[in-house]
Amino acid sequence: MVDLLGRADELELIDALLTGRSSIGPGVLLRGDAGAGKTALLDVAASRAEASEMWVLRATGARFEAGIDYSALHQLISPLSDRLDRLAGHHRDVLAQILGLIPGSSSDRLVLATAVLALLRAAAAERPMLVLIDDVPWIDRESATILGFCVRRIGSGAIRLLVAARTATGGIFDQVGLPERHVGPLAQQPAAALLDTRHPGLASQVRRRLLAESAGIPLALEELPASLTDRQRRGQDRLPAFLPLNKRLRASFADQLRPLPAPTRELLLLIALEADAGLATIRAAASGCMVLDDLAPAIASNLVRVTTNVVAVCYPLLRSAIAQLSSEGQRRAAHLALAAALTEDPSRRAFHLAAAAIEPDEAVARTLEDAALVSWQHGALSGAATQALGRAAVSDQLHVASTSAVVAALVRAGELSPHPADRCRRLVEAAFLASMTGQFDDVPRLLAAAGQAPDSPTGLVFAVTAYLLTAVEGDVDAANQLLARALDYVGDAPRTNDWDAYGILFTLLLVGVYGARPKPWELLNAAMERFAPETVAPFQQCYDAFVDPAHTADTVREGLARSFAALPTDAAPWQVLPLAYAAIAVDALSDYRYLVRRMVEHERDDGAITMVVAGLLLLCLDSYHRGEWNEAEELAREGLDLAAAHGYHLLEGQHRVHLAYIAAGRGHVQLAKTLDEITTWAAPRRVGMTQECAGHTRALVALGQGDYEAAYAHALRVNPADAPNLGVPGRWTLLDLVEAAVRTGRTDEARTHVAAAWQAGIDRISTHTALITTGAAALAADDEHAGPLFEAALALPEADRWPFEQARIQLAYGQRLRRTRDTTRARLHLRAALDTLDRLGAQPWATRAHNELRATGTIHVTGPDTSVALTAQEGQIATMAATGLTNKQIGQQLHLSHRTVGGHLHRIFPKLGITSRAALRDALESGTSRRS
C-alpha cells in the first residue's frame, strides 16, 4: 500500500473519506504551497480507491489548457464514455458532444451540468466513486463551473471528492463551501527521513543545508540533491549561496512569480539579493516607490513577509528561484541600486558594487578585501554581503555567513584588482583560506592565477604550501622547513595582524602538536617574536601548555579563562581553536567546550572545515576523559567523515586512532587493533602524535586482555623512563605503564617511572595528571605506603571528572585491600569501581571488578550463579579462564603462580562436570554451579 512520510493525519483523512467515515462531508479541498505534496496525496488516494475497486476519475489543470473550454471536464469523464447510452437522450448527446463523439456543441450549461451529474450518479450506483481534481487554478472556467454545480449536489452518497489547490489562489471551489485541510511543510524528522530515503549518502553538512533550504517542502527534498554535482553531494565542493534549481523546481516557482506585476518582481529581486533587508533599504534601492503597495501581491500570495521593518521571503528556496529566473542585467541593476542605498554601510555597499562590476576597480577591491579581513578575524560576513558575491553566475556565490564566503570575497577582490601586486596578494590570501575550508582543488589554481609580482606575499605562499603538506600529506618535517623559509620573508620587525601571521603561526601550531617534537615548537617561539602581541597571545598559551606544562599550567588556565571570556559571541574559528588546543593540553577544555561546539556548529556547513575537524577531535578527547564514551565516539565518527571527505589525512588518522582508543577501553579488541594502516602512514612521516596515540591504544588493548608484557612494551615506547613524556598523550600512559610493570614483576622499574614523573612535575599540570601520578605511585608502592597514596589519589578535588582513571584506581585499591584481608573496605571501592566501569562500558575492567567483588564474598553480584560448591577463589579463576585468559595471565592478576592456577582448574573441572577449558563458559552460563 502506498504511504507518505510525515502525512499520517492527511492519510487518515483520506481513509475516512474513502470509507464514508469522514465527519466533514463527502468532499475536501487540500490547500498548500507549491511542492508541499498535494498531488502525492491525491496519488495515494487514487491508489487506495483502486485497491477498494472504486471508480477513480481525475482531472488535472494545465496552463496551456486553461483557455480551452471543457478541457478538464473532457479529461474527467472520458473513462465513463462507454456508459453514455445509459443516460437520457438529451444528456447522452450533450456529453457525447463534449467528448467529441458526435458533432455539435452545447450552449446550455444547465443541461450539460445535469448531464455530468447524472453520469456520475449512474456510475456511482454500480460502485463507489472518487473524483480527484488537481491544480485548480488551471482548470478552465467552463469546466470549473460545471464541476462546482456537481459538488454542491453530490450529497452524502457514493461519490467522494478530493480537490487540491495552492495557497492564496481562488476559484470556483472557494465558493462552493468545500471544507479545507491545510497541507503544510513536513516536520523535521519526516523531512530528514524523506531526504535520506531518496538521496542516501549525502555529506552531513550538505544534508543539513538541503534540509534547511527545503524548509520541509517534499518536492525540494526530492529534487534539490539531483541538481548538485557528485563532489558537492559528497561535501568536497562548496555549495553555492543560491542552490541550483532543476526544471521542475524552477517551473513550480515560476508559476507563482510570473503572474505578479513587474514592480513587484523587481522588489522581490532586491529582497533576494539583500537577505533580511530593512524596509528602508529596499525603499531607498527602489527609488522611493510605494514599496508596501507594490509588495502587496507578493504578501497576499504568501511569498514575502514584512515584520518590524524587515522584509524577507517566506521560503529560503524562493530567493534562489527569484535570482535564477532573472537576467544578468536585472541582477546587476539590482546590485547597483542596493549599493546606492547602502552609503552608510561601506562593507555591504562594496559587496554589491563588486557583484555589479564589469571592469577592475581598486577602490571596490580594497574595500572588499578589508571587509573580508575583518570578517575573517572577528566572525563571518554578513548574510547580505555574501549574497552579493559573484558577478555573472549566481551559482558562483557562496553560502551566507560562511568562511567560504570570505574566500569568494578575496577571489573577487583579486579579479577587480588593476595592479598585478594587489591581485597576487589577494589571490594568495584566498588560497590560504581555501585550504582551511577544504577547497584543496582550488588552492593550486588560485596560486597559479596569482602568479608572481615584485611585492608578492612569498611568506604566505610558503605557509599555504606548508599547511597542505601538514593537513593533507602529513609531512610535518617538510612543512617545518617551508615555515622556516616563510619566516625569512617576514622580517624581524613585529608585524600587526595580517594573513602572514595567522598562516604561519597556525600551521606551526599544527606541526608542533602533531609532530610532537621540540624543533617545530622552537620555530613557533621564534615566529611569535615577529608578530604583534595581540596576534600571538593564543599561540603563546599553546606553546606554554604543550612545551612546559608542569611550570606554566596554572598561568595558562588563568589566561584561558580571560581569553575565552573575552571572545565575542560570533568569534571566528581562528580565535577559538588555538585556545581550545591550549585547554586540552592542561585538561581544562570541559569548562569551555560549549564555545568550541558553537564554533563547530557555525563553521561545519561551508565554513572552515579544518577548524571543525580539529574542534571535533578536541571535543572527542574531552568527552572520553569525562566518561562520555558514546558522545566521544559520535564526535570522532563525525570528524572522521568530514576529514575523509575533504582529504584531511592528518586529522583523519587522529580520529581513527581515537575511535580505536575508545574501542580498546570497551574491550572491542578487533576494532581497536585496526591501527596498522594508520601507523604505516604516520611512521615514515614522523607524525609523532599519531604514533604515540596508537602506542597508547595498543597498551590499553593489551591491559584489557591481561597481556601485561605487551602492555609494558607499548607504553614504554610512548613514555620512556629516562625521558618522561609530559606531552599529550604521553603523560596519560603513566598509569598503564606502571600497572603493566607491577603486573609483570617490574616493581623497581614501576617506581622509577613514578619517581621520574614526580620529578618532572606531571602531577602539577592538572587534577587529571595528579590523579594519574598519585594512582600510579600507589600501584607501585609496598603495602605499608600504598594505602595513604590510594586515599590521596581518590581524595583529589574533582577526581570524579576523570571517571575511567578514578575507577581503575578504585579497582586497584580494592584488589590491594582484598589481598590484605580488609574485605569490608575492599567491597566499597570495588563496588564503586564496578558501577563506574559498567556505566562506561569498560568491559575488561568491569569484569575484573566483578570477579574481585565476588572474591570478597559479596553475594549480590551480577554474573554466573553456581549450583556446585566452588570456593570464592575457584569461582573467580573459573570466570577468568572462561574469558580466554591463560594460567599465567590469571596468576598475574590474582598474584598467584601459574601452577597454583592450574591446580585450581584441575579441581574445578570435575565439580562442573567438564573436562576442558573450552567448556567453562557454557558450564558457567548454564547456571549448573553454585558458589559456597
Side-chain angles (χ1 to χ4, degrees):
M1 185 69 69
V2 179
D3 208 343
L4 294 175
L5 292 168
R7 296 300 188 198
D9 291 344
E10 290 84 354
L11 295 175
E12 184 179 349
L13 172 68
I14 289 172
D15 285 340
L17 183 70
L18 295 180
T19 57
R21 295 182 290 105
S22 175
S23 61
I24 58 176
V28 177
L29 171 60
L30 301 178
R31 194 181 290 280
D33 293 322
K38 303 180 295 297
T39 299
L41 287 168
L42 264 58
D43 291 341
V44 171
S47 176
R48 294 185 177 185
E50 288 169 351
S52 300
E53 298 185 347
M54 296 177 67
W55 285 107
V56 177
L57 304 181
R58 189 165 189 167
T60 301
R63 176 189 296 273
F64 67 92
E65 288 189 357
I68 303 175
D69 290 348
Y70 303 118
S71 56
L73 188 61
H74 180 279
Q75 185 182 2
L76 185 75
I77 66 174
S78 288
L80 301 178
S81 60
D82 60 347
R83 281 166 169 71
L84 296 184
D85 57 358
R86 302 181 187 183
L87 301 178
H90 65 297
H91 282 166
R92 181 189 62 238
D93 292 342
V94 72
L95 292 179
Q97 290 171 356
I98 292 296
L99 293 174
L101 300 178
I102 61 175
S105 61
S106 174
S107 59
D108 191 333
R109 287 193 291 179
L110 180 60
V111 173
L112 177 58
T114 56
V116 172
L117 183 61
L119 179 63
L120 296 179
R121 285 174 172 169
E126 300 175 22
R127 48 192 167 110
M129 175 183 294
L130 175 64
V131 177
L132 302 172
I133 303 174
D134 199 2
D135 277 340
V136 167
W138 303 118
I139 298 289
D140 66 278
R141 183 169 182 80
E142 296 299 326
S143 295
T145 300
I146 300 300
L147 293 173
F149 175 90
C150 295
V151 168
R152 287 166 56 88
R153 290 162 175 80
I154 59 175
S156 57
I159 301 175
R160 306 285 182 263
L161 177 70
L162 200 57
V163 182
R166 288 183 183 176
T167 304
T169 57
I172 294 293
F173 292 97
D174 292 307
Q175 302 173 31
V176 299
L178 272 180
E180 290 192 13
R181 171 62 68 92
H182 177 65
V183 180
L186 292 176
Q188 184 175 359
Q189 186 172 353
L194 176 60
L195 182 63
D196 294 340
T197 301
R198 296 290 192 271
H199 301 279
L202 294 171
S204 57
Q205 70 272 26
V206 176
R207 179 178 178 272
R208 283 190 297 273
R209 173 79 187 282
L210 293 178
L211 285 171
E213 292 275 340
S214 299
I217 299 298
L219 179 64
L221 290 165
E222 294 195 8
E223 299 292 334
L224 268 179
S227 301
L228 304 178
T229 67
D230 288 341
R231 287 181 58 84
Q232 286 174 329
R233 285 191 289 270
R234 291 195 298 266
Q236 294 171 309
D237 286 346
R238 61 181 184 260
L239 297 182
F242 293 145
L243 293 177
L245 307 182
N246 63 14
K247 184 177 180 180
R248 189 178 178 192
L249 283 171
R250 282 198 304 272
S252 175
F253 284 111
D255 286 343
Q256 301 174 72
L257 296 172
R258 191 177 291 110
L260 298 175
T264 303
R265 294 199 301 272
E266 291 171 5
L267 287 173
L268 288 179
L269 182 55
L270 294 174
I271 294 167
L273 297 179
E274 179 72 8
D276 297 323
L279 191 58
T281 299
I282 298 301
R283 183 178 289 113
S287 303
C289 73
M290 302 299 292
V291 171
L292 290 179
D293 290 345
D294 287 333
L295 278 179
I299 296 172
S301 299
N302 198 34
L303 298 177
V304 298
R305 59 179 178 271
V306 181
T307 56
T308 319
N309 293 322
V310 174
V311 189
V313 296
C314 291
Y315 299 101
L317 276 185
L318 184 59
R319 292 178 49 255
S320 295
I322 293 168
Q324 292 177 45
L325 291 169
S326 64
S327 67
E328 180 180 349
Q330 289 171 326
R331 290 194 298 273
R332 183 169 178 270
H335 281 303
L336 289 173
L338 288 166
L342 292 168
T343 55
E344 301 300 319
D345 192 332
S347 295
R348 289 163 66 199
R349 182 172 183 271
F351 284 107
H352 286 294
L353 288 174
I358 56 176
E359 59 185 13
D361 187 323
E362 177 58 25
V364 174
R366 187 184 306 113
T367 305
L368 198 57
E369 180 188 21
D370 292 344
L373 178 59
V374 171
S375 298
W376 174 72
Q377 291 173 341
H378 302 293
L381 302 172
S382 69
T386 57
Q387 309 309 316
L389 298 173
R391 176 172 58 86
V394 175
S395 60
D396 289 338
Q397 300 171 10
L398 297 179
H399 182 39
V400 299
S402 70
T403 304
S404 291
V406 182
V407 178
L410 290 169
V411 171
R412 185 63 178 145
E415 294 170 348
L416 294 175
S417 302
H419 305 297
D422 294 327
R423 172 185 172 85
C424 175
R425 184 187 72 255
R426 288 160 182 159
L427 292 180
V428 171
E429 292 165 356
F432 164 62
L433 276 190
S435 68
M436 296 289 176
T437 56
Q439 303 167 44
F440 292 136
D441 291 345
D442 291 342
V443 174
R445 175 181 59 80
L446 289 170
L447 290 178
Q452 293 294 323
D455 297 321
S456 61
T458 307
L460 185 57
V461 173
F462 281 132
V464 172
T465 308
Y467 179 78
L468 292 181
L469 284 171
T470 304
V472 179
E473 301 297 332
D475 194 342
V476 291
D477 285 339
N480 195 61
Q481 294 171 9
L482 279 177
L483 290 166
R485 294 186 63 187
L487 283 178
D488 292 338
Y489 286 92
V490 171
D492 295 327
R495 300 270 292 275
T496 57
N497 289 0
D498 60 12
W499 303 96
D500 285 4
Y502 286 99
I504 293 171
L505 293 174
F506 183 73
T507 308
L508 271 173
L509 173 62
L510 291 184
V511 172
V513 169
Y514 295 104
R517 48 186 173 275
K519 193 171 181 180
W521 291 112
E522 294 169 2
L523 189 59
L524 175 61
N525 192 36
M528 289 189 293
E529 298 177 1
R530 312 283 185 92
F531 301 105
E534 63 271 20
T535 302
V536 305
F539 298 98
Q540 183 67 56
Q541 289 175 317
C542 284
Y543 177 86
D544 293 339
F546 278 91
V547 174
D548 191 15
H551 296 95
T552 63
D554 289 339
T555 303
V556 169
R557 270 189 289 274
E558 293 170 3
L560 287 172
R562 291 191 299 271
S563 298
F564 275 114
L567 288 177
T569 303
D570 58 347
W574 339 97
Q575 298 170 293
V576 176
L577 198 64
L579 298 176
Y581 270 110
I584 203 72
V586 294
D587 295 311
L589 187 61
S590 293
D591 296 330
Y592 312 109
R593 63 180 290 117
Y594 72 98
L595 295 169
V596 181
R597 170 56 81 178
R598 187 169 67 189
M599 179 273 290
V600 166
E601 294 300 328
H602 187 270
E603 293 293 322
R604 75 196 313 163
D605 295 336
D606 211 13
I609 298 299
T610 185
M611 305 293 182
V612 172
V613 176
L616 290 169
L617 182 67
L618 299 179
L619 290 170
C620 165
L621 267 175
D622 182 62
S623 295
Y624 180 85
H625 288 305
R626 288 189 301 110
E628 300 295 339
W629 287 7
N630 289 337
E631 180 182 67
E633 183 176 3
E634 290 175 6
L635 291 164
R637 292 198 181 283
E638 183 180 357
L640 176 61
D641 290 344
L642 283 173
H646 290 276
Y648 286 108
H649 299 311
L650 176 74
L651 296 179
E652 179 184 351
Q654 282 300 121
H655 279 288
R656 291 189 187 280
V657 169
H658 287 312
L659 282 171
Y661 189 66
I662 296 166
R666 289 170 165 163
H668 300 166
V669 177
Q670 294 306 315
L671 180 59
K673 283 185 173 179
T674 59
L675 293 169
D676 291 344
E677 182 181 346
I678 301 169
T679 51
T680 299
W681 180 86
R685 294 168 172 82
R686 301 182 68 210
V687 185
M689 168 74 83
T690 303
Q691 292 175 277
E692 289 183 5
C693 287
H696 189 192
T697 300
R698 289 190 172 105
L700 197 63
V701 169
L703 283 174
Q705 291 182 296
D707 187 352
Y708 296 109
E709 284 288 350
Y712 184 72
H714 289 308
L716 191 63
R717 293 190 190 99
V718 179
N719 198 348
D722 57 347
N725 191 335
L726 276 70
V728 174
R731 70 180 76 140
W732 298 333
T733 64
L734 180 64
L735 191 63
D736 308 331
L737 179 62
V738 170
E739 181 180 2
V742 170
R743 300 294 189 192
T744 55
R746 296 183 174 92
T747 304
D748 290 341
E749 288 90 336
R751 292 170 181 169
T752 300
H753 289 300
V754 171
W758 287 122
Q759 185 175 2
I762 289 178
D763 60 300
R764 296 196 298 269
I765 297 173
S766 67
T767 56
H768 187 198
T769 58
L771 179 67
I772 290 172
T773 308
T774 312
L779 274 169
D782 56 29
D783 289 343
E784 180 183 354
H785 299 96
L789 285 168
F790 276 120
E791 295 288 350
L794 297 173
L796 283 167
E798 300 182 328
D800 56 355
R801 289 186 65 175
W802 323 104
F804 186 40
E805 287 87 352
Q806 182 191 43
R808 288 175 61 187
I809 293 168
Q810 288 170 328
L811 171 58
Y813 192 18
Q815 289 173 317
R816 183 77 67 111
L817 290 168
R818 186 187 67 79
R819 201 181 71 197
T820 57
R821 311 295 185 185
D822 192 347
T823 54
T824 300
R825 293 173 62 208
R827 288 170 186 158
L828 292 175
H829 290 290
L830 291 171
R831 170 56 71 188
L834 179 59
D835 289 346
T836 299
L837 294 166
D838 272 340
R839 180 183 67 80
L840 293 175
Q843 192 55 47
W845 288 268
T847 299
R848 287 173 199 167
H850 166 266
N851 292 335
E852 289 287 340
L853 200 54
R854 289 185 62 193
T856 66
T858 299
I859 298 175
H860 301 294
V861 181
T862 24
D865 263 340
T866 57
S867 60
V868 183
L870 292 183
T871 68
Q873 192 167 63
E874 285 174 345
Q876 188 178 21
I877 290 172
T879 302
M880 296 174 74
T883 66
L885 295 181
T886 66
N887 290 358
K888 182 178 180 181
Q889 291 169 335
I890 295 171
Q892 288 174 339
Q893 293 194 29
L894 300 181
H895 301 283
L896 302 172
S897 72
H898 68 278
R899 292 185 181 87
T900 301
V901 173
H904 279 294
L905 289 171
H906 181 72
R907 289 187 293 274
I908 289 169
F909 289 171
K911 290 183 179 182
L912 298 181
I914 59 175
T915 58
S916 70
R917 301 170 78 100
L920 268 173
R921 183 185 296 274
D922 290 340
L924 292 172
E925 289 180 351
S926 68
T928 59
S929 58
R930 177 178 56 81
R931 181 173 52 79
S932 60

